[in-house]
Amino acid sequence: MNNKELSAAIRQLCKEKNAVIFAHYYTRPEIQEIADFVGDSLALAQQATRVHADILVMCGVHFMGETMKILCPEKKVLVPDMAAGCSLADSCNAQDLALFKAQHPDHMVVSYVNTTADVKALTDVVVTSSNAKKIIDQLPKDAKIIFGPDYNLGNYINSVTGREMLLWNGACHVHSRFSQEALLQLKKENPGVEVLAHPECKAPILAQSDVIGSTKALLEHTIKSSAKRFIIATESGILFEMQRACPDKQFIPVPPEMTEGMGCSCNECEYMRMNTLEKVYNCLLNESPEMHVNKETARKAVSSINRMLEMS
Ligand code: 13P
Ligand code: SF4
């Protein structure tokens, strides 16, 4: 089947099986096109709790499927490729976090949503890049906080809230690699351009940016801004939605630094790109692979996710 036929077959399967497709902004354009909901990690989690469907298909990465299953345990949650991981989630394992917590018994744990269910189970409140500042602002002023796993996001939140959270030293391999030199050059070549960055980028990139926010916040900014040109420092999948929403505006992606030994010179998340139309079709047809989360882990993790939803 070609892409057009696959897309039609997927929509037909959704109708027959009462299934709903969710896609993150970083997925391939053809996946975003067939999805019922496209959003950032907060919007996808919120939407999952509102839909009436028997099957939820999460086109994103593994932790997004896990979060969906934890929030909707009675629904069948399918993920097109179980191997679609996340370098950021991988940078914090539950055993190491448990040890760190034990060394800091007076600290509460705030975790970014890009974490495994096991890490969420050790967490007091989950945040996303959309709501991190809002949630941290609501915590008691004297609260001692461990924030993980994204160092760059934590460092940024410390700077805008005046907190001194203890930061885990994790990072996303896509966002931590944007080239500061290339960004400065692009700004010089495009006077008057607005620079938009995701808070997972390193501090020197954020310091050069006009707007810092989640994928959804950046997209909304491009729609309401009077600027005609934007430099984008986040995964390049978002450019599809930006261009679709603003066909008369120009979007310039920041390239990554060329690091020796790292083959990829693009700003794409290879895990997000593992979602293909063929895999979505097959997972709907076979109702597999299905996401399962250990019941006890899910019971502990759901309270930290629900706390986030209440505080958002
Ligand atoms: P958002 O919360 O902005 O959707 O980002 C998720 C993510 O994986 C960023 O790399
Ligand atoms: Fe994880 Fe980075 Fe990919 Fe986002 S872009 S899913 S943080 S690896």
Side-chain angles (χ1 to χ4, degrees):
M1 279 193 272
N2 61 30
N3 275 6
K4 205 169 160 211
E5 290 163 343
L6 272 172
S7 301
I10 289 167
R11 292 311 321 165
Q12 182 58 30
L13 280 173
C14 282
K15 217 192 269 176
E16 286 167 17
K17 298 190 177 216
N18 190 23
V20 168
I21 300 180
F22 295 78
H24 190 270
Y25 289 125
Y26 294 163
T27 51
R28 296 167 187 271
E30 61 271 25
I31 298 284
Q32 297 188 41
E33 264 170 347
I34 50 116
D36 296 281
F37 299 102
V38 182
D40 67 358
S41 24
L42 175 62
L44 292 171
Q46 287 171 325
Q47 198 60 46
T49 62
R50 293 179 193 138
V51 294
H52 299 287
D54 298 316
I55 297 178
L56 310 179
V57 182
M58 182 62 232
C59 300
V61 292
H62 190 274
F63 78 79
M64 294 179 176
E66 263 186 349
T67 305
M68 201 162 264
K69 182 65 188 175
I70 292 167
L71 284 169
C72 312
E74 75 293 349
K75 298 207 169 100
K76 187 174 266 189
V77 175
L78 304 176
V79 293
D81 192 331
M82 277 287 173
C86 168
S87 55
L88 180 52
D90 287 347
S91 63
C92 179
N93 77 52
Q95 288 88 338
D96 291 344
L97 179 61
L99 207 65
F100 196 63
K101 266 183 81 161
Q103 288 162 354
H104 301 89
D106 53 346
H107 282 59
M108 63 183 295
V109 177
V110 177
S111 292
Y112 192 31
V113 70
N114 295 41
T115 42
T116 61
D118 288 324
V119 166
K120 288 186 179 81
L122 294 169
T123 295
D124 295 291
V125 57
V126 170
V127 299
T128 76
S129 50
S130 275
N131 58 23
K133 180 178 181 308
K134 187 174 176 189
I135 289 178
I136 304 281
D137 278 341
Q138 291 173 63
L139 300 177
K141 286 281 162 278
D142 57 351
K144 292 183 175 170
I145 302 169
I146 294 170
F147 182 93
D150 193 60
Y151 179 88
N152 296 324
L153 174 64
N155 191 39
Y156 169 68
I157 297 296
N158 270 348
S159 73
V160 292
T161 60
R163 301 263 180 171
E164 290 181 358
M165 300 187 294
L166 270 186
L167 305 181
W168 196 264
N169 196 18
C172 156
H173 72 300
V174 178
H175 286 87
S176 57
R177 279 181 65 207
F178 288 118
S179 162
Q180 194 190 350
E181 211 182 343
L183 172 57
L184 291 174
Q185 185 61 29
L186 283 172
K187 282 180 83 166
K188 217 191 288 172
E189 289 166 4
N190 296 280
V193 74
E194 282 191 338
V195 181
L196 276 49
H198 195 280
E200 287 174 24
C201 295
K202 284 182 177 166
I205 297 286
L206 299 182
Q208 291 293 329
S209 302
D210 301 298
V211 180
I212 298 166
S214 73
T215 45
K216 185 165 178 251
L218 299 183
L219 173 66
E220 284 172 356
H221 180 81
T222 60
I223 296 168
K224 66 171 196 275
S225 170
S226 58
K228 289 283 178 210
R229 259 182 192 187
F230 303 87
I231 294 174
I232 309 295
T234 189
E235 210 273 357
S236 59
I238 188 73
L239 299 186
F240 170 72
E241 203 56 43
M242 287 176 170
Q243 202 67 76
R244 182 155 78 168
C246 314
D248 58 329
K249 297 184 180 178
Q250 191 190 352
F251 302 99
I252 309 161
V254 182
E257 273 165 5
M258 283 306 294
T259 317
E260 226 172 291
M262 294 189 79
C264 178
S265 63
C266 59
N267 43 20
E268 291 180 359
C269 171
E270 60 271 42
Y271 304 114
M272 287 284 185
R273 307 294 156 140
M274 287 168 83
N275 294 280
T276 62
L277 283 179
E278 203 164 3
K279 287 181 198 169
V280 176
Y281 173 75
N282 284 329
C283 91
L284 264 168
L285 186 70
N286 304 320
E287 301 190 18
S288 168
E290 184 181 353
M291 178 60 73
H292 294 286
V293 180
N294 169 284
K295 280 211 165 62
E296 185 54 17
T297 307
R299 189 188 62 75
K300 290 181 188 156
V302 78
S303 51
S304 61
I305 304 172
N306 278 337
R307 204 161 295 142
M308 166 184 84
L309 295 176
E310 286 154 23
M311 293 170 86
S312 293

